[in-house]
Amino acid sequence: MNFYKIYQNKKVLVTGATGFKGAWLCLWLHILGARVYAVGYSPNKNKNLFYSLNLHKKIKINILDIRDKKKLSSYIIKNKPQFIFHLAAQPLILDGYKEPYKTYAINTLGTLNILEISRKSKFVRSLICVTSDKCYESNFSTKGFKETDRLGGVDPYSGSKAAAEIIIKTYIESYQKKQNLIGIASARAGNVMGGGDQSPNRLIPDIVNSLQSKKKIILRNPNFNRPWQHVIDPLNGYLMLGAYLYKNPKKFSGAWNFGTEKNTVTSVLTIVKYAIKNWGYGQLKIKKQKKFYEQTNLQLNIEKSKKILKWKPKYKISESVKLTIEWYKNVFNNKISPEDITKKQILDYMK
Ligand SMILES: NC(=O)c1ccc[n+]([C@@H]2O[C@H](COP(=O)([O-])OP(=O)(O)OC[C@H]3O[C@@H](n4cnc5c(N)ncnc54)[C@H](O)[C@@H]3O)[C@@H](O)[C@H]2O)c1
């Protein structure tokens, strides 16, 4: 798919632009020649990437709270985006336990506001709401969740994403199918890695902080398995989905999984070993600790996206870690700027 043809000169709004995935997506869209409108929030836990990619010099960032419908609405109406990628969220499971009300409010009301403003607009044609692989009800199966599987969630973060999914579905059923003016989709991906993530309590930032300060990497759950993927893979899926929705809103509205290939769940221990190998040195220490509940062995079934969108993940887990560590190592050693290496990794991916 030729992204340049689709996104060049198009008006694209990205919420959560100051976050990890959002900053990568904004840079990618900027490379494609899109006119990007960015919404972020302050204080922002994952604060550095948007600025270290120099995106503030290329894209006007609007700091607002997506729970504030009035402000969000006037910003969207003023700028009239044709595409919206809604990524803004409280995305951390641990913070969900600490602040359930806030997590529910941002993840559900924020999504509802975006849907409602888009529905009433005459200009939004392609709306993608990013939720999570955690939106499914745990069934302890290792087969992989299909888009039609039951939604659920034990912890507040997962529940908030499942609730957002229900809201999205009602908008598709009630408005998309009847009016066919706007394409609405939800995108479900799993744990991502890549350069520049600064979020607290995420595996890669923790590993890199220890490697940079030459401290032992402390592993609390070495055998915890997750379907890790490089951030570029699901972002590629979001961009493809955005393009398909733009062309044919009716056909492509709905839920889409952007996970890894079958049987690719990988343990935390393996990720750390790959990271140490690519960094060149490093030590680890296992300090077992009972963790809060988080679904393990969670895998997505990606057959629908593969068959209909012709999307598939490109990087194996060893390559994802390699690219991620290459990013941090080169930036840490001042060999390349965060902007240049991110751009390079995006352009290499598109080749
Ligand atoms: N990173 C992952 O591994 C992962 C996995 C599955 C799903 N997701 C989902 O992907 C999306 C992006 O995640 P991320 O890793 O980039 O998170 P992040 O924490 O790096 O970014 C979150 C973004 O949301 C913004 N935000 C938070 N509250 C806001 C509010 N009230 N108003 C406006 N903006 C607000 C923040 O400013 C930031 O820009 C989220 O929806 C998340 O749930 C992420």
Side-chain angles (χ1 to χ4, degrees):
M1 179 178 281
N2 186 342
F3 284 157
Y4 289 98
K5 248 184 165 172
I6 296 147
Y7 287 102
Q8 198 154 38
N9 287 322
K10 294 288 191 337
K11 289 182 165 189
V12 185
L13 173 75
V14 178
T15 74
T18 51
F20 170 50
K21 278 185 180 178
W24 273 81
L25 182 60
C26 284
L27 186 63
W28 197 336
L29 285 163
H30 181 76
I31 292 170
L32 299 175
R35 292 158 67 188
V36 186
Y37 298 85
V39 167
Y41 187 48
S42 186
N44 180 16
K45 294 208 165 170
N46 214 350
K47 58 185 162 229
N48 295 317
L49 193 59
F50 190 85
Y51 299 92
S52 54
L53 296 183
N54 283 321
L55 285 165
H56 58 299
K57 295 181 187 159
K58 310 179 205 320
I59 295 166
K60 201 166 175 303
I61 175 87
N62 194 318
I63 301 294
L64 60 79
D65 188 335
I66 44 160
R67 287 167 289 181
D68 186 338
K69 184 163 169 256
K70 216 170 157 195
K71 278 197 184 146
L72 185 64
S73 178
S74 60
Y75 179 70
I76 294 179
I77 289 168
K78 185 174 153 214
N79 294 299
K80 301 190 173 33
Q82 295 146 295
F83 292 81
I84 297 183
F85 292 93
H86 172 49
L87 282 80
Q90 189 303 94
L92 303 171
I93 294 183
L94 192 56
D95 286 18
Y97 277 111
K98 287 184 197 155
E99 296 188 287
Y101 185 86
K102 187 176 166 192
T103 301
Y104 271 105
I106 295 175
N107 296 356
T108 59
L109 189 57
T111 305
L112 180 61
N113 285 342
I114 288 283
L115 283 160
E116 183 62 5
I117 297 163
S118 303
R119 168 180 88 85
K120 288 190 171 160
S121 85
K122 298 221 166 16
F123 39 83
V124 180
R125 189 163 162 87
S126 178
L127 167 61
I128 293 177
C129 298
V130 171
T131 66
S132 171
D133 60 353
K134 306 270 186 344
C135 68
Y136 294 106
E137 182 169 282
S138 179
N139 60 8
F140 304 103
S141 154
T142 48
K143 278 191 187 151
F145 291 103
K146 282 189 183 159
E147 286 84 347
T148 46
D149 277 346
R150 200 182 162 105
L151 298 166
V154 170
D155 62 283
Y157 168 73
S158 307
S160 73
K161 288 293 185 175
E165 283 285 351
I166 292 173
I167 297 172
I168 298 162
K169 189 160 191 284
T170 61
Y171 268 70
I172 297 174
E173 296 294 330
S174 312
Y175 307 109
Q176 199 295 314
K177 286 192 177 163
K178 292 198 178 112
Q179 297 165 0
N180 195 27
L181 296 171
I182 168 177
I184 305 171
S186 73
R188 304 163 179 176
N191 287 43
V192 292
M193 62 171 70
D197 194 359
Q198 302 281 336
S199 217
N201 299 310
R202 276 188 182 159
L203 181 63
I204 293 292
D206 285 353
I207 294 175
V208 171
N209 287 335
S210 301
L211 290 171
Q212 287 174 347
S213 55
K214 298 196 172 145
K215 286 187 184 150
K216 280 187 184 162
I217 303 165
I218 309 290
L219 287 189
R220 293 189 175 81
N221 300 285
N223 301 319
F224 192 73
N225 292 317
R226 296 286 297 147
W228 309 91
Q229 58 188 161
H230 196 278
V231 64
I232 304 189
D233 265 330
L235 290 185
N236 181 42
Y238 304 166
L239 287 169
M240 289 178 78
L241 181 55
Y244 280 121
L245 278 176
Y246 191 80
K247 281 187 195 155
N248 191 337
K250 195 177 182 74
K251 183 170 172 195
F252 296 98
S253 286
W256 300 86
N257 284 342
F258 295 105
T260 56
E261 294 285 6
K262 267 184 207 156
N263 305 321
T264 49
V265 289
T266 310
S267 73
V268 165
L269 184 62
T270 307
I271 302 286
V272 172
K273 285 184 175 165
Y274 283 146
I276 291 176
K277 187 175 155 220
N278 284 289
W279 191 267
Y281 59 82
Q283 284 180 301
L284 62 92
K285 187 174 172 185
I286 293 171
K287 204 171 165 185
K288 285 209 173 170
Q289 190 187 59
K290 193 160 171 21
K291 222 182 161 228
F292 53 87
Y293 176 82
E294 186 175 348
Q295 249 191 88
T296 51
N297 297 320
L298 199 168
Q299 179 110 42
L300 292 173
N301 178 317
I302 56 172
E303 291 313 305
K304 179 183 168 191
S305 296
K306 280 170 89 173
K307 195 170 159 205
I308 301 174
L309 304 180
K310 307 285 176 234
W311 170 86
K312 63 176 181 175
K314 183 168 172 172
Y315 294 132
K316 290 193 199 107
I317 182 63
S318 55
E319 294 168 306
S320 300
V321 180
K322 187 169 180 274
L323 285 167
T324 303
I325 296 300
E326 181 183 283
W327 194 104
Y328 283 104
K329 199 176 162 185
N330 285 308
V331 169
F332 183 67
N333 293 328
N334 289 319
K335 290 206 172 136
I336 188 164
S337 70
E339 181 184 354
D340 287 344
I341 190 160
T342 309
K343 222 182 238 175
K344 180 184 174 304
Q345 291 190 344
I346 290 172
L347 292 173
D348 286 348
Y349 187 91
M350 282 202 288
K351 268 179 203 161

